[in-house]
Amino acid sequence: MQVDTLVLNGTVFNSYFKQFRKENIAIKDGKFFYIGKKGQEFFQAREIVDAAEKYIVPGLIDIHLHIESTMVTPATFSYGLIKNGVTTIIPEPHEMANVFGISGVKEMIKASKNEVVDMFYGIPSSVPATSMETTGGSIDIEDMEELLQTETIKCLGEIMNYYDVLTKPDCKTNQILDFVRENYPELIIEGHVPKLLDVELQGLAFAGVGSDHTHQTVEGMKERIGIGMFLEIQEKSMTPEVIEYLIENPVKEHFCFVTDDVMADSLQKRGHLNVLLKKAISMGLSIEDAIYACTYTPAQRMRMYDRGVIAPSKLADFVVVSNIADFSIDAVYKDGEKVFDEKLPYVQSARSKQFPASFYESVKLSPLHEEDFEVRIDTDKNSVTVRTIYVQNGSTFTEERQDTLAVKAGKLQWMDSSYCLVKTFERYGKNQNKAHGLIGGDILKRGAVATTYSHDNHNLLVVGKNKEDMQLAANEVIKNQGGICCVHNGEILSMVPLPVGGILSEEPLAVIASQVEKLTDALKSLGYEHYNVIMSLSTLSLPVSPALKITDYGLIAVNEGKVVSFEV
């Protein structure tokens, strides 16, 4: 019998039995045709692959991530994924949607077509994330209808504004959920429900939310699984307690591993979903269960029944692994064709201007001045009590604290305090909003940093210990039409240009990875202490991540869903 490719003598992972078996694989028309003992005596093949001493596992599948978090284009992202064994992803482009609305989503989908990795999109459900911020675009019900009619959509992306869903029956998010339940009842609805338990958690489930990918605890996992929620475990949730629970309980069908956000330098140096797979194994999860949670269960969750297993009629996406314990990748196949070989050069070709011209002109701010970083206080007193944002290493959650600072001639003497000033400027030319706050804890101790990569509104966010450095950092970002700039004593230590919407680079992965690594080192040299300093910085403006954040509307008490005053 004629086939395209015959893989001989492999140790093949059978997802249905969760077992490795010594078998041969026949591939025809980009799909698995046969898995069993028959070989060259039965099949004639254009290509013969001897996989002796090697393991064959399905291509890895990541169903919750944001390409924009890596600050690269879909083409660069695909290049980075393939060498790490990832062959299918479900990205949700709510960052580009916040900058450009539906055109941002459509252009990301367009840029993903014809790439090696299959990219099936989720519709951003929370753009803007709240009503307490200004964004460049929004995604409304009519936009969702258009995307569902014209694009290959796998899910409604994470419902983030859980406070409004639970407390405001007529809010935009509830209108979206009503629309989906009525018109697309089979559409998968993804969730973002940090720390919610009991009645609140079940209120989200009642609204249709079927998963959670946020920071997990054993208590939270038990409740979520118990009410039928699917768990998407990202690396920060991989604590010994969580992994022990996943090992010891019959919950293997109810979770998968996801990356959510991966920095460019981490993708280049560490890898992607394969990092979580290896980590799970090192923490005691069986090799079989770890592979299962990176292939079969994510495919089932997204109803992608044509992949995630090595079986007849399924897509021939697979990874050839020499050492299964540390998942050492020798080769990767997509649709039956080899797309990566560890022994051969793997070079990324440079590509520029992959988006419309307007996508490179999204920062509509004039240069800022030192006085833009003064804080005026309307009081005749010599001190004032204010709310402060407290950052702690180990989490992107923050705390609200209060402190009393000196006031002189109507100006807050923040530069004489232990705090940084944090300020945000609306950058889309809509209303010229700006807001300020103070921030302490494991944050900068000197210098300044400015960025348009600030979730999810991506306005200009500036944090610093003095006005001069803040001005320089901010103006460098404005001049470059977006990016992240770190400054100390009037010297630019690091600049990551992000000209596409102020959030993406078109540089090759190796280049942007080097820039991000240098930026991380610069921030740490200025006293920023965090396991992911860029994510910590960029989520200071995320008003759905507890507890006190800042947008161009002001300080946001996230758990109360409202703007609160700077002065107490």
Side-chain angles (χ1 to χ4, degrees):
M1 179 176 288
Q2 186 67 41
V3 295
D4 298 324
T5 304
L6 190 60
V7 182
L8 301 173
N9 308 312
T11 304
V12 181
F13 183 68
N14 184 295
S15 303
Y16 304 112
F17 286 107
K18 291 190 196 174
Q19 292 177 349
F20 283 100
R21 298 175 170 182
K22 284 282 188 182
E23 292 178 314
N24 301 322
I25 298 173
I27 297 169
K28 185 176 182 180
D29 299 331
K31 298 179 180 180
F32 295 115
F33 178 78
Y34 169 85
I35 301 92
K37 300 300 181 184
K38 287 184 169 58
Q40 287 178 282
E41 80 287 350
F42 187 85
F43 292 105
Q44 294 78 52
R46 186 184 71 233
E47 180 184 10
I48 304 292
V49 178
D50 186 2
E53 309 298 325
K54 295 179 181 178
Y55 297 81
I56 312 295
V57 303
L60 307 186
I61 299 173
D62 193 338
I63 62 171
H64 183 87
L65 59 83
H66 312 283
I67 295 174
E68 305 97 314
S69 293
T70 314
M71 306 180 201
V72 297
T73 62
T76 299
F77 201 61
S78 176
Y79 166 85
L81 292 179
I82 282 296
K83 64 181 179 180
N84 291 297
V86 180
T87 54
T88 299
I89 61 172
I90 311 288
E92 193 229 294
H94 68 236
E95 316 297 356
M96 285 291 272
N98 270 280
V99 180
F100 297 114
I102 189 174
S103 65
V105 177
K106 283 181 164 268
E107 289 297 331
M108 284 294 281
I109 294 174
K110 181 180 176 182
S112 302
K113 290 177 178 175
N114 303 317
E115 296 303 331
V116 178
V117 172
D118 285 337
M119 305 184 190
F120 303 108
Y121 278 75
I123 297 179
S125 66
S126 306
V127 179
T130 71
S131 59
M132 299 172 290
E133 57 194 313
T134 303
T135 59
S138 64
I139 298 294
D140 299 310
I141 288 174
E142 55 268 29
D143 300 316
M144 295 182 178
E145 178 72 30
E146 180 179 343
L147 290 168
L148 285 162
Q149 293 295 325
T150 61
E151 307 290 350
T152 303
I153 299 297
K154 285 295 180 183
C155 63
L156 182 65
E158 57 182 302
I159 298 292
M160 293 192 290
N161 197 356
Y162 53 87
Y163 181 85
D164 279 6
V165 173
L166 294 171
T167 63
K168 301 175 183 178
D170 297 325
C171 72
K172 176 182 174 180
T173 307
N174 275 323
Q175 292 174 24
I176 290 169
L177 288 168
D178 289 342
F179 164 77
V180 169
R181 287 194 300 264
E182 182 175 344
N183 296 281
Y184 297 93
E186 297 302 312
L187 186 66
I188 297 162
I189 301 175
E190 293 285 272
H192 171 110
V193 289
K195 295 187 174 182
L196 295 188
L197 297 170
D198 199 43
V199 174
E200 290 181 325
L201 178 65
Q202 296 195 35
L204 266 295
F206 183 79
V209 173
S211 71
D212 182 34
H213 69 275
T214 59
H215 201 160
Q216 298 296 334
T217 64
V218 171
E219 179 188 20
M221 288 196 303
K222 287 180 180 178
E223 286 207 23
R224 282 156 176 75
I225 293 172
I227 62 172
M229 270 193 176
F230 187 80
L231 294 177
E232 297 164 0
I233 306 294
Q234 53 177 300
E235 187 171 10
K236 67 184 179 183
S237 290
M238 295 176 70
T239 62
E241 298 80 14
V242 164
I243 296 299
E244 182 180 6
Y245 180 82
L246 297 177
I247 293 170
E248 294 184 352
N249 292 275
V251 296
K252 305 302 185 293
E253 309 302 320
H254 303 293
F255 79 93
C256 72
F257 292 112
V258 299
T259 57
D260 198 3
D261 304 296
V262 175
M263 295 291 106
D265 56 339
S266 182
L267 177 57
Q268 175 75 352
K269 286 192 166 185
R270 297 179 70 215
H272 197 258
L273 188 61
N274 55 322
V275 173
L276 278 68
L277 189 157
K278 290 187 283 188
K279 185 171 183 176
I281 294 170
S282 71
M283 295 179 73
L285 195 67
S286 73
I287 292 170
E288 293 82 0
D289 286 339
I291 293 171
Y292 195 73
C294 292
T295 56
Y296 185 81
T297 54
Q300 294 295 300
R301 165 66 183 164
M302 288 295 159
R303 302 184 189 129
M304 296 186 293
Y305 302 127
D306 63 343
R307 67 194 68 210
V309 296
I310 297 173
S313 85
K314 309 303 182 184
L315 290 181
D317 298 352
F318 62 97
V319 185
V320 181
V321 178
S322 55
N323 185 330
I324 196 66
D326 63 12
F327 209 72
S328 301
I329 296 174
D330 277 23
V332 180
Y333 286 74
K334 181 77 187 75
D335 299 326
E337 299 292 332
K338 186 189 289 186
V339 290
F340 172 77
D341 188 325
E342 191 271 334
K343 295 185 178 68
L344 299 177
Y346 186 63
V347 181
Q348 182 183 5
S349 56
R351 293 167 64 180
S352 61
K353 301 301 179 184
Q354 300 170 56
F355 294 89
S358 61
F359 279 44
Y360 303 88
E361 302 170 351
S362 66
V363 180
K364 305 182 188 304
L365 274 173
S366 300
L368 300 177
H369 307 283
E370 279 190 28
E371 51 264 35
D372 288 310
F373 301 99
E374 293 177 347
V375 178
R376 298 190 176 275
I377 302 293
D378 186 16
T379 181
D380 54 3
K381 298 178 180 178
N382 58 11
S383 66
V384 63
T385 300
V386 298
R387 290 182 171 85
T388 69
I389 301 170
Y390 184 78
V391 173
Q392 192 167 11
N393 191 1
S395 177
T396 53
F397 294 166
T398 61
E399 297 176 23
E400 176 184 326
R401 295 188 178 184
Q402 297 179 6
D403 204 349
T404 301
L405 274 72
V407 176
K408 187 176 181 180
K411 297 179 183 178
L412 186 71
Q413 302 300 292
W414 66 268
M415 287 176 58
D416 296 330
S417 74
S418 62
Y419 297 100
C420 286
L421 178 68
V422 55
K423 193 151 187 179
T424 184
F425 300 84
E426 184 271 316
R427 59 104 160 175
Y428 301 104
K430 291 188 172 184
N431 53 33
Q432 290 77 54
N433 279 356
K434 50 190 171 185
H436 60 260
L438 294 179
I439 186 164
D442 297 331
I443 197 80
L444 293 180
K445 304 300 184 292
R446 51 199 168 274
V449 60
T451 181
T452 48
Y453 179 78
S454 54
H455 298 300
D456 277 341
N457 50 70
H458 299 294
N459 286 309
L460 177 64
L461 181 75
V462 191
V463 177
K465 287 292 293 179
N466 66 81
K467 295 183 291 184
E468 297 81 10
D469 283 350
M470 293 179 79
Q471 179 194 8
L472 176 57
N475 286 338
E476 189 70 13
V477 170
I478 293 170
K479 182 178 74 174
N480 282 276
Q481 275 296 310
I484 314 173
C485 182
C486 186
V487 170
H488 184 227
N489 284 341
E491 177 188 354
I492 296 173
L493 302 183
S494 177
M495 175 68 198
V496 180
L498 300 172
V500 183
I503 59 175
L504 297 185
S505 169
E506 291 184 303
E507 295 287 354
L509 180 60
V511 174
I512 184 68
S514 177
Q515 291 174 341
V516 168
E517 184 176 26
K518 184 178 179 182
L519 172 70
T520 299
D521 291 343
L523 288 169
K524 289 182 176 179
S525 76
L526 298 180
Y528 208 134
E529 303 172 19
H530 203 274
Y531 73 95
N532 189 336
V533 291
I534 296 176
M535 189 56 61
S536 173
L537 171 69
S538 65
T539 54
L540 295 175
S541 55
L542 183 59
V544 293
S545 176
L548 187 66
K549 298 295 173 76
I550 187 170
T551 74
D552 61 305
Y553 278 46
L555 294 175
I556 309 298
V558 175
N559 294 332
E560 300 170 49
K562 67 180 183 180
V563 180
V564 293
S565 63
F566 175 58
E567 299 173 45
V568 178

